[in-house]
């Protein structure tokens, strides 16, 4: 099974992504550095989106499980 990101890693990635965004918005970087930062930002975005989708899936699974438990208790 693939290694899952911890909450702190997700938060660190998101903070770094915000930092990259601010840096690029300031327009105080050379073209090569801007391209490098943009590339890093894309990778971080993909990683964060993957983590969020995994969390969404987990929540959906837990809701289904809760629904089954509630149904059994009603019977």
């Amino acid at each position: 099974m693939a290694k899952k990101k911890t909450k702190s890693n997700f938060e660190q990635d998101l903070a770094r992504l915000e930092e990259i965004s601010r840096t690029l918005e300031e327009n105080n970087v050379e073209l090569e550095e801007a391209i490098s930062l943009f590339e890093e930002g894309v990778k971080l975005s993909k990683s964060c989106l993957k983590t969020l989708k995994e969390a969404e899936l987990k929540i959906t699974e837990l809701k289904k499980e809760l629904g089954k438990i509630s149904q059994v208790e009603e019977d």
Side-chain angles (χ1 to χ4, degrees), residues 13-49:
D13 287 352
L14 190 57
R16 176 64 181 147
L17 188 55
E18 290 171 349
E19 180 184 341
I20 289 169
S21 178
R22 280 191 302 275
T23 300
L24 291 173
E25 287 174 353
E26 292 171 357
N27 296 321
N28 294 333
V29 293
E30 298 285 328
L31 179 60
E32 291 296 320
E33 183 182 359
I35 291 170
S36 177
L37 288 170
F38 186 80
E39 184 177 24
E40 181 183 355
V42 168
K43 289 178 184 177
L44 289 168
S45 292
K46 286 180 180 180
S47 177
C48 288
L49 284 172

Side-chain angles (χ1 to χ4, degrees), residues 44-59:
L44 289 168
S45 292
K46 286 180 180 180
S47 177
C48 288
L49 284 172
K50 181 181 177 201
T51 301
L52 289 171
K53 285 183 182 198
E54 288 171 355
E56 182 179 30
L57 179 61
K58 181 67 176 177
I59 289 169

